[in-house]
Amino acid sequence: MAPSTVLGSSLTPTQNNAFQQSRSISSPEGVLGAKDGLYPPSRVGKDGRSLSNTSIGFGLRGASLAPFGQPPGSFSSDMRSVGVPRSGTPRIDLGGYVNRDDGREEGGTASEIRQAEFRDKIKKETKIKIGSENLLEALASKNAKQTRDQRLKVESELNSSNRKIAELKSQLEEEIQRAKRPATPNKSRLSSLFRGSPLRSPSRAEENGPAAVSQDNELETESPTYVLADILQALEMEGMQPDYYVERANSLVELFKRHPTLKYDLAWSIFGLRIQMMLLSDSREVVAAGYRLTRYAIADRKSLQTIRELHTDELVVLSLVKESKASIEREQALKFVRAFLDVKDGVRELSNAVVRTVVSVAEHYEDRLRSMGVLTLVEILIREPSLVVNAGGIGSLTDALAEGNYHGSESLVAAFLHLLDTPHHRKLLRSGFELEAAFSPFTDPLAVHGHEEKLRTNARSIAAMLKSWPGIFTLSRQNFMSIRSLLLSLYYPAPLARDIVLELVFDVLHIKPPSWSSSFLAGRRLTTYGRVANLKAESTAYQPRSDSDEGSSLFSLVGHYTSLVLAVLIDCGLLKALSDLVEDAIDFTLRRKAILLLGEVMKLANHSLPSTLSADLQILPRLLAAAAKEDEDSFSSATGTVYQIDSVNRTLYRSGLASRAAEASTAGAWEVSNIPKLAESGSTKLSVEMDDLQFRSLLLETQVLNTVNYLKWKWDLINDLVDGPLLNPKRLLEAISATKFLKRLIGFFRPFKYRFSDIKSTKPNQRYVRTGCALLRTLLKSAEGTRYLAESKLLRQLAECLAQLDRTSGLTSESPLFSPYRVTETLTGGYFALLGVLSSDSQGLLMIERWRMINMFYHIVELRNRDDLVQVLLGNMDFSLDSHLRVMLSKALTACPNSVRIFSTKLLRKYATRKPQESTSNVANSGDAEWAIRLLVTQLYDPEVEVCEVAVQILEEACNQLHYLEYVVRCRPALDHLGEIGAPLLLRFLSTSLGYQYLDGLDYITQEMDDWFLGRNDSYVTLVEASLSRALLEQSERPMSGFDEFFQRLNSGMVPPHFYRELTRTTEGCELLKQSGHFDDFVATIQDFWSESEDPETMLKVKGCLWAIGNVGSMELGAPFLEDTDVVTWIVKIAVKSEVTTMRGTAFFVLGLISRSLHGTEILAEHGWDTAADTLGQSLGYCLPPNLGVLFSLDLSRPTLDEPLGRRTVAVVPKATALEDDPINARILGLIVDLGNTVLTKRAATDLHIIKSKKAENFSQIPLFRKVMRVLEDHTFRLPVRRFVIDLFDKSVMRHIVLEDDASSDEDLDGEQA
C-alpha cells in the first residue's frame, strides 16, 4: 500500500523541477538573510502575514525577530514564534525569559558585532560633528548678523551630534563591560532566571508579586536532579500539543544553564529516548526544540559519540535539506552541527554525510543559511581540513570568495592561508590558485559597474592576503601576476574601482590619511587648512619616532613588513600606475587622492627602504620627463602634479612636527588649551616692540574698546596682541591703565558675567579658551600683570563657584556653575584650563592658595559621583612645581574610584618620561621626574590590575633613559604579585649593571633563564605572532582614549621584551649567556631542524630559537655570538629556502633585528642584504634582499594527484548497484546517481517519478534508504536534488531506523507484499 505521508510534503507534478537552479525556495526575507548570514528566518503564510519562527531570546515579546548582532552560528538564543499558524493554534513561545544575556550562550561574537555597530554610528556622528565645526569656523570669519540664523542651525546640529556621540559611547562602554562579565550566572541572578522561566509567563510573575518571588526561592532550593527527572517524566506524555513539549525542553535548557555540571551525569538511555521522540515529531518547533536541548546536553567528545548513536546524523541531513518554510528546524540543526566545533576534537565526530549536506547548503545561492554554512565550513577547514576537502567544500568556499557576497571574507581568507602555510596542507588544495579568485572583479570590466559592495568585500580579502606571509608568498607566483593585474586595473576608466584600489593601497601600507586630507580632496588649499597650529595630533604608522629615540629598544615588525610590501608594490609598477592615473584621471577628487597617495608612498619609501631601492624613486622620472616635453598640455599637467606633490610633502612634514609635539602634551579633557604652548616656539605675527600709535590702532581694531558684544571682537587679532605686544611690560601697563581693553577682556571670562561660561562647547569656540590661557600666561610674566590678575574679580568668582562643590564651605546653589551638563556642553570646563595655567607658575600657585582653592580641590577629588569633574581638574593641572597639587594627585591615585585612579596614573607619563633639557642640569630634571616615578612605583601595589598594568607600561617607557632606569631599580619595587604583567619591567632592569646586581641578589636571573630556555621561548613565538596579527589587521576591541591609543601604538606590532636581549645589554649578562651555552644550543637546533615542515612542535621550537638569536644579535654586545657561530648564514638560508611561509617570515624579521646593530648590518651586507638607515646613518632594522625574487623563490606548484580530492570514483556506484538483488532498487540507485549529472538530471527525475507511482513500496524499504543515504554521502549533489531524493521515501522509514526496529518493519513489509 502507498504510504500516507512522505518526508516533507506530498509530491505533485509541479515538484518535478524542484531541484532546478532557477527555482527560488526562499522568500525575499530569506534572500536577505542569506546575504547577511545572521538573520533568523521568516516565512509568509497564505494570508500574506509573516510567520516567523524564531526571535531573539532577550528581546521583548513582539520585538524585532532579527536584531542586528546575533553571533555567527547561533542565529537566535531561543526559538519563539509570534505568528499564528494555519490551524489557528497559537504557536509555541519558546522564549524563556526577558532581559537575559544570551549573547554569550552562542559565543562572544554577538557582543563584538554590537560593539562594531556602535562604533560605526559613532564614526558617522563624528563626521557630522567635524563638518559642523568646520562650517562654524568658516561662519565665524563672516559678518555675525548675516550668518546668525545659519550659525544657530549649525550649532543645533552640532549639539545634537554631541549628545548622540555621548549616548553611543555610553552604550558602547556598557556593552564592553557586559561582555566582560562571566558567562555563568551567579547566585544573585538565579531568581531572575527562574522568574523568566517558560513555566510561568513574566506577566503572571509580576501579578503574583511577593508570592511569585517566594515560589522562585522554593524552586531554587529544589534538587536539580529531581527537577530533571520530573521534566523527563513529563516528556513521556504522548499526543500533547507542541507547546507542551517545547516548554518542557526550554525548562531543561534553563536547568542546564543554571547547573552546567548536570549534563555530565545524564542517563542517556532515558534522556536519549526523549530526544529521539522530539526529533521524530511532525511539528517543526518540537524538532527544533529537540536540537536545541541536545546541543545544551553536549559535554565532551564521548557525549557526542553517544548522541550520534541516536541516529542524529541522518536526522540532521533530513532537517537541513528541507524547504525554507522549515527554517526554524534548519537553523537549530545547523546550530547543532556547529556545537560539535566547540568541543575538543569534536570536529572529528562530524560525519562526511553531514559535511556534504552543509556543503550543499553553502553552494545554494538562494538559501538564507548559506552564509552560516560557509562559516561552518571555514571553521571545519581550519580544524580538520581533510574533512572539508573530501566533502568537496573547497569549491564552495572558492566561489564564495570570488562572488564577494560573503561578509566574513577575512575569516574565509584566513582559512585558505592556514592551508597555504605548510606544504603538507598545500597539497589539499586542488589548484593552489584559490585565493586569486578575489581579484576577478577588479580585472573583469563587466563586474565593476554596480557592484560597489562586492568590490569592497574583495578588497578586504586582498588586504588580508597582503597582510600575511602565506598570502604574499602565494600572490608572488609568476612574478606577482595577481598584484600586477590589480595595479593594471587602475588604467581602466572606472572611478569606483580606481578609488577602491587606492584605498586598498592605503590600507596595506598602513598609511593613515592626515586630518586635512578631506579638505585637500575637496579641493581646498593646503595653505589654509594645513597650518601647524590647527593640525590634528595624529601620526602615521611609519614615523621613526619609536625606533630612533635614544635608549629605545622597540622594533616595529609592522614597519619592517610594510617596507617589504612597499618594495613589492613598487616592483609591480605602483609609482608608474599612480603617475599615469594623475595624468589621465578626469575626476579631480580621484586625482587628488592619487597625488596624496603618491606623496605618502614617496615619504614611506624614503624612510623604510634601503637607499639602493629608494634613491631613484624620489625624482619621479615619468613626471619630470613629461614636464620637459614641449607639449603644452603635458607640461602644465606634469608641473602642476609635481607642485601638488611638493605641497603635500611639506604639509605632511609640518603635520608630523605637530603630531610629535602634541604627543608630549597632557591628554586632559581640555587638552586643546595646550596648543598655544606649541605656537610659542614659533614667531608671532605681531612684534613685541612697536610704537604707541600702532599699538593703539591695533587695540581699536580689535573692537574690544568699541563694543561689549564679544561676537564682534576680532579674536585672532586679540590672540596675536596677547602673544605679542602685551609681553612688553610697557604695553601691558598702558593696556591696563590707559584703556579698558584688559578690563573688558578679563570681564568676559568672569563666571558671573555668564558670557564665557554660557558659550557652547564646540571646536571653533575653543579659541576663547586658547585666548584665555594665553592671556593668563602673559599676565604672569610681568609684575604689573601679576598684580592686576590678583586684584581682579576673576579668581574670586572662580573660587566662589568652586566652593559650591565643597560640602564644607557652606555655599550652595540650585544651578551650580560646574554642573555635569555645563561642564560637558559649555565652555565652563575651560576654567580648569585657566587654573592649569596658574598652576604652572609659582605666582599663580600663590593666587590659588590665597583663595583657598587647594582645599576645594581636595574636596572635589573626594566627590564620588563626579568622576568627570575630577578628571577635568586633574587633566588640566600642571604638577611640574613641587606644591600641594602633587599631594592632591597622590590622593587621587590611591583614594579615588578605579576610573579616576587609572586616569591619574596615565597623567604621570608626561612627568615620568620627560627628557632632560640641555639648558638645565640633569640633576634638577631627574629630580623633577623622580617624584612621578615614586608615585608610579606606589601604583604597582594598587588592588586594581589595570592600574598596575598602566603603571608598568609607563615605568617601562621611563626606563628608556638610563638615569630613570637606575632610579627605578633603587626604589626596589616588588613585582612578584603581578606575575606576567610585571615581567617586562623586571627584564628592563637587566639593561644596567645596577639592575643586574639587584636581580642577581634575588636569584631572579638564573630562574628566569631556565624558564625561557625550557619553555618561554616557545610561548614568546605565540606572543609575537599574535601581536603582529593584531597590528596588521588593526582590529580594535574597545574605544580608546589618547593614552590608550599611545600605548597600543607603542606596543602593538612591536617586538615584545625578550630575556636574552636584555641580558646581552651588559657585559655581566653576556658572560652568563656564554657560560650557560644556551646560544650554542639555539644554533644547533636551527642547524638540525631548519628544513622541518611537518611537525608543528619542532617548527615552534625553531622559531623560538630564531627569535632568541635575533634578540641577542640586535645588541652590539651580542655581535661576537653571531660571528663565532656563523648563524646568520643559516638564518638567510631559512629565509630563502624554507618550505614553510611563516618560517621564512620569522627568519625575515630576525634578520631585521640583527641589522639593528652595526656588526649585524656588516654581516648582512656580506650576504647581500641592504639595510635602511635614517638621516644620521643609524640602522632602522628594515633589511631587504637586493632582488625580491630571492626571498619569494618558494615553489608552490602542486604534484599531480592520481585521484582528485573531494570526489570518490564513480565506480563505487556500479559496484553498489551490482550488489543489489532487486533490479528495481538497482535502477533507483542508478537514477539517483544520474541526478548528479546536469545532462541526465531531468530524465532521471522523470523516471524516478514513474517508479514511485508504480512501485511505491520500494521507497519504504529500510535497506534501500540506507544505500541511498550512502550515495548522498559519497557524491556531490545540489541541495534541491538532495531534498527531492529524500522526499521520495516514506516518512516512517526514518522512524523505524531511529527506533531500531528494522527487523519488525521488514517482517511487516514482507507480510504486506505476500
Side-chain angles (χ1 to χ4, degrees), residues 597-630:
L597 178 58
L598 192 57
E600 293 273 11
V601 167
M602 291 173 60
K603 179 182 175 183
L604 181 59
N606 183 51
H607 167 256
S608 301
L609 296 183
S611 57
T612 54
L613 297 177
S614 63
D616 297 336
L617 305 178
Q618 303 301 322
I619 60 174
L620 291 175
R622 288 185 55 81
L623 287 177
L624 293 180
K629 292 182 180 178
E630 298 180 358

Side-chain angles (χ1 to χ4, degrees), residues 311-373:
H311 300 280
T312 53
D313 289 349
E314 293 87 346
L315 292 169
V316 167
V317 171
L318 266 62
S319 297
L320 288 178
V321 301
K322 288 185 178 180
E323 295 182 352
S324 58
K325 60 184 179 181
S327 55
I328 185 172
E329 178 182 341
R330 300 180 71 234
E331 282 185 2
Q332 292 299 321
L334 187 54
K335 290 169 68 175
F336 171 69
V337 174
R338 292 177 55 79
F340 281 60
L341 306 178
D342 297 331
V343 179
K344 183 180 179 181
D345 295 331
V347 67
R348 298 181 181 178
E349 295 301 325
L350 286 174
S351 66
N352 194 47
V354 172
V355 179
R356 284 269 188 188
T357 309
V358 175
V359 169
S360 64
V361 173
E363 287 178 343
H364 196 54
Y365 183 79
E366 297 175 347
D367 197 315
R368 62 171 303 278
L369 295 181
R370 186 192 184 207
S371 295
M372 298 318 302

